[in-house]
Amino acid sequence: MMQVNVTGGEISREERAAYIARANSKYAIGTVQAMDIHVDGEYVDLHYHLTPRPFSRIRRITGYLVGDMSHWNDAKAAEERDRVKHL
């Protein structure tokens, strides 16, 4: 269940449920860990706390877009190892 923190005022259960439904429709269910709702008169500010997702870097090496070289054969790995690297 998502943790919801309300500050600056009070909101109804229906309004709270609507903000949770909006978060679940905007992001995949289970992606939002918590939500902060700040009430400012007639306006509200929503802040979502999302679960961290693994990040995979993609690089261009010897003309190929790759994340890693684990699937390369020996010749292609040697080509990458022998190339001049510019820093």
Side-chain angles (χ1 to χ4, degrees), residues 18-72:
Y19 291 133
I20 292 172
R22 181 183 187 279
N24 288 331
S25 69
K26 186 172 182 176
Y27 301 100
I29 294 177
T31 303
V32 181
Q33 289 181 332
M35 178 174 28
D36 295 331
I37 302 173
H38 179 73
V39 180
D40 185 15
E42 293 183 19
Y43 300 98
V44 294
D45 294 323
L46 301 177
H47 184 263
Y48 303 111
H49 301 275
L50 305 176
T51 56
R53 295 178 67 184
F55 180 78
S56 175
R57 181 178 303 248
I58 296 177
R59 304 178 290 165
R60 182 175 178 269
I61 300 175
T62 65
Y64 296 93
L65 294 174
V66 296
D68 62 15
M69 299 183 312
S70 63
H71 301 302
W72 285 15

Side-chain angles (χ1 to χ4, degrees), residues 10-24:
E10 295 184 14
I11 58 173
S12 67
R13 284 186 182 198
E14 294 81 18
E15 191 174 2
R16 179 182 169 133
Y19 291 133
I20 292 172
R22 181 183 187 279
N24 288 331

